[in-house]
Each structure stands twice: as C-alpha cells, then as structure tokens.
Amino acid sequence: MGSEKKIILVTGGSGLVGQAIKQAKQQDPRENETFIFLSSKDGDLKDPAATQRIFERYKPTHVIHLAAMVGGLFNNMKHNLDFLRNNILINDNVLQNSYKLGVKKVVSCLSTCVFPDQTTYPIDETMIHNGPPHSSNFGYSYAKRLIDVQNHAYHQQHGCHFTAVIPTNVFGAYDNFNLEDGHVIPGLIHKAYIAKKEGKPLVVYGSGKPLRQFIYSIDLAKLFLFVLREYEEIDPIILSVDESSEVSIGEVAQIIADAFQLEHGIILDSTKADGQYKKTASNKKLRGYLPDFQFMPLKDAIERTVQWFNLNYHIARK
C-alpha cells in the first residue's frame, strides 16, 4: 500500500499553505509521491469544463484542496453572495471531478469561521453545524461548511474518502500582507515595516487583549501531510496549537515590534473595535493521533516570517 504511486494535486498551490506544503514535502519526502501545485493560471475552478480538463490532464490519485475565494472582513460583509456562490462552485467542481476520476482521497481546507457564532469554548469538531456562523462572513462560512456535508454525502453514496481539516489562524511566508485585507500577523508585520522606515511607533487597533491561537504555515503543512498519508476519518480534524499556546494580540504585536527592533514601541488604539475576544479551539483529537508533535515557538516563527517579508518585500502580496 505504501509504495503505490501517488499523484497529489494541490489546488490553490501558490498561496500561503500551498507554498508551505512545497517546503514540508521536501523535508519529509516519499519516493512514491508526485506533487502538482496548481495556481489560478492553470484554469478557473469555478468552471466545470476547465476543472474537468485539469483533472483529466493530471489524473491525480489524491487531492489537497486549498483553492477558495477569500477576502478580509470588509470585503466579505459587502459580497456575501459572491463568496457563497463562487466557493460552492469551486468546491463542487473539485469534489465531483475527484469522484468521477476515482481520486482515492481528498483533503479539503475549512476555516474556524465555520463554527457557530454563539458557542461554548473550547470549540471542537462536533460543533460545526450547531448554529449559524458569524453574520459578517456567513456566505464564505456556509460554503466551507458545505464541504463537510459533501464529504459525508460522497462517502455515504459512493464510498469516497473525502475529508477536511480546520486550521486556526495560519501565518508565514507568502501570506497576504495587505494592510486592509490581511489577517492579524501579516497586517501587523507590514505596519511594523512601515513604522520602522518612518521611525514611528507601531499602532495596534483595539485593546490588544483578544486571544488567538496562531499556527505557523510550515507546522500546518507537516500536519496536512500527516492527514493526507495517515488520517482515515471522514469527519474533519482541527489543526491547531495547544490551548495553552493562546496569546493576546498585544503579545503578538510586541514580538513583531521586537523582531523589527522598533525604537518607538507600540501604541494601542482603544478607539478601534476588538472583534471576538476569543475563539479557542481544542486540538484534543489531533493530540490523540500525534501526542508528541512539536510546534515551532511563536517567537521563532514570527521572526522567520519577518525575515522573509524583509527579504521579499518587493514580491510579497500587499
């Protein structure tokens, strides 16, 4: 079984997680695995015919499905219908072509935004469908939830081995460092880069008190390879650092300011909203499989990401 040739198609292969999987597979190579990393240039996955052509061309045995229409909070709030429709189209085309061409396993990527807005903490895999998601990005959230529904339906009706992972806040090289649309860490890194240049303090929106679990893209990529190679369930699995590794936005900002050696420190702008106080996710299921997995310490991972951004400022998405 282990020596069967695998052709692994990675949709959305040029983004943050795809680039990290490229690196992780080089650190832990398998002779029988051939990876193909798709980018949007290879064809529009919203288009059934284009998706079919890609699958017929590469004839994958396995698929890591990362491609999605994504955007920041403001973009989501204005275009919930677009996020719903476009992601449903992408996911349906990828999963239906995987079924038609006899793909042995698909691992899709969900997001913690699939969880109900009103919930108890820590969140675990059983809670996905327990209530509506946050209203700000309900279109994207429901489209992602539907992957889990589709996975179970394909398994029930056709015996397909389609599953999904739910990462917490991912960051690393090749992230989107846009000041408006970027997530917390890449946004603060870009802000700190400018603050350093201008000799100013780093301004952090909000009180700095909200808590988050951050996972370095390379750690996430290693866990993706574990799920691809070893994980046999249809039910999704949360890929997250331990609950004890939750940190405040203020602490993260301080690590970033230190990495840039900012002389003027940090200013917390409490007139700006904080967003959800916490979104703690349980990685108990993951720890059941991998009790000894070592995550890179946050400080080291942020320092590496800052280093990458400094060296690649001209090509970074911003």
Side-chain angles (χ1 to χ4, degrees):
M1 180 70 195
S3 61
E4 271 181 43
K5 285 263 181 281
K6 292 180 183 173
I7 298 166
I8 301 154
L9 188 69
V10 183
T11 72
S14 60
L16 167 67
V17 181
Q19 293 282 2
I21 290 172
K22 268 183 204 171
Q23 210 174 315
K25 77 168 177 67
Q26 285 162 356
Q27 290 171 13
D28 183 16
R30 304 285 161 96
E31 276 181 17
N32 63 324
E33 293 179 346
T34 305
F35 281 80
I36 295 149
F37 291 87
L38 295 180
S39 76
S40 48
K41 294 185 196 78
D42 292 291
D44 182 2
L45 296 175
K46 296 193 297 297
D47 176 349
T51 310
Q52 188 173 331
R53 280 195 296 275
I54 290 169
F55 273 74
E56 285 171 350
R57 180 179 172 193
Y58 293 112
K59 299 181 174 58
T61 61
H62 293 66
V63 173
I64 293 178
H65 175 35
L66 307 172
M69 177 188 176
V70 295
L73 182 65
F74 195 59
N75 202 353
N76 265 291
M77 286 168 76
K78 283 195 300 192
H79 302 112
N80 267 298
L81 177 65
D82 296 348
F83 282 94
L84 179 71
R85 292 191 66 228
N86 290 332
N87 284 302
I88 285 175
L89 291 171
I90 292 168
N91 300 336
D92 191 59
N93 287 332
V94 168
L95 294 179
Q96 179 64 5
N97 278 283
S98 296
Y99 157 61
K100 284 197 303 198
L101 272 86
V103 169
K104 291 183 180 141
K105 187 170 183 182
V106 179
V107 181
S108 295
C109 193
L110 308 187
S111 149
T112 48
C113 72
V114 299
F115 289 110
D117 181 34
Q118 300 297 319
T119 187
T120 54
Y121 296 99
I123 302 164
D124 69 38
E125 294 84 352
T126 65
M127 300 178 179
I128 293 179
H129 304 287
N130 285 3
H134 195 271
S135 59
S136 62
N137 60 348
F138 72 90
Y140 178 79
S141 303
Y142 273 119
K144 284 290 190 186
R145 271 189 195 187
L146 276 173
I147 293 179
D148 178 54
V149 176
Q150 286 171 291
N151 287 346
H152 283 90
Y154 274 107
H155 182 250
Q156 186 196 54
Q157 198 168 319
H158 299 302
C160 298
H161 189 176
F162 297 173
T163 190
V165 302
I166 309 172
T168 44
N169 302 275
V170 197
F171 71 95
Y174 301 96
D175 206 339
N176 176 6
F177 293 85
N178 187 291
L179 293 170
E180 302 300 318
D181 252 8
H183 289 123
V184 177
I185 288 181
L188 284 173
I189 286 174
H190 193 175
K191 269 186 162 180
Y193 178 92
I194 294 166
K196 173 82 172 176
K197 239 178 162 170
E198 296 178 348
K200 290 178 179 170
L202 170 62
V203 178
V204 182
Y205 287 170
S207 68
K209 287 177 184 155
L211 301 169
R212 294 291 180 269
Q213 286 155 300
F214 293 100
I215 184 167
Y216 185 44
S217 58
I218 303 296
D219 287 339
L220 177 62
K222 289 175 184 171
L223 295 173
F224 249 104
L225 293 178
F226 154 74
V227 171
L228 181 78
R229 293 165 178 167
E230 317 277 344
Y231 183 73
E232 296 300 326
E233 297 180 42
I234 303 299
D235 283 330
I237 183 168
I238 290 171
L239 302 181
S240 171
V241 296
D242 304 316
E243 289 169 55
S244 58
S245 299
E246 206 167 37
V247 288
S248 73
I249 304 296
E251 288 171 272
V252 168
Q254 191 58 60
I255 295 171
I256 291 169
D258 292 345
F260 277 101
Q261 297 174 318
L262 291 185
E263 281 119 52
H264 301 282
I266 289 172
I267 292 175
L268 297 169
D269 180 0
S270 303
T271 64
K272 297 285 194 295
D274 263 344
Q276 267 175 290
Y277 175 63
K278 65 174 188 174
K279 302 178 179 181
T280 321
S282 166
N283 71 353
K284 195 174 164 190
K285 186 175 189 176
L286 174 65
R287 282 297 186 202
Y289 283 100
L290 299 174
D292 302 320
F293 185 86
Q294 301 259 312
F295 291 92
M296 184 178 288
L298 186 64
K299 185 174 181 291
D300 299 352
I302 286 177
E303 282 170 0
R304 287 187 184 201
T305 308
V306 166
Q307 196 178 357
W308 182 87
F309 187 71
N310 278 325
L311 290 171
N312 297 280
Y313 181 77
H314 56 296
I315 62 152
R317 278 188 294 164
K318 56 191 186 297

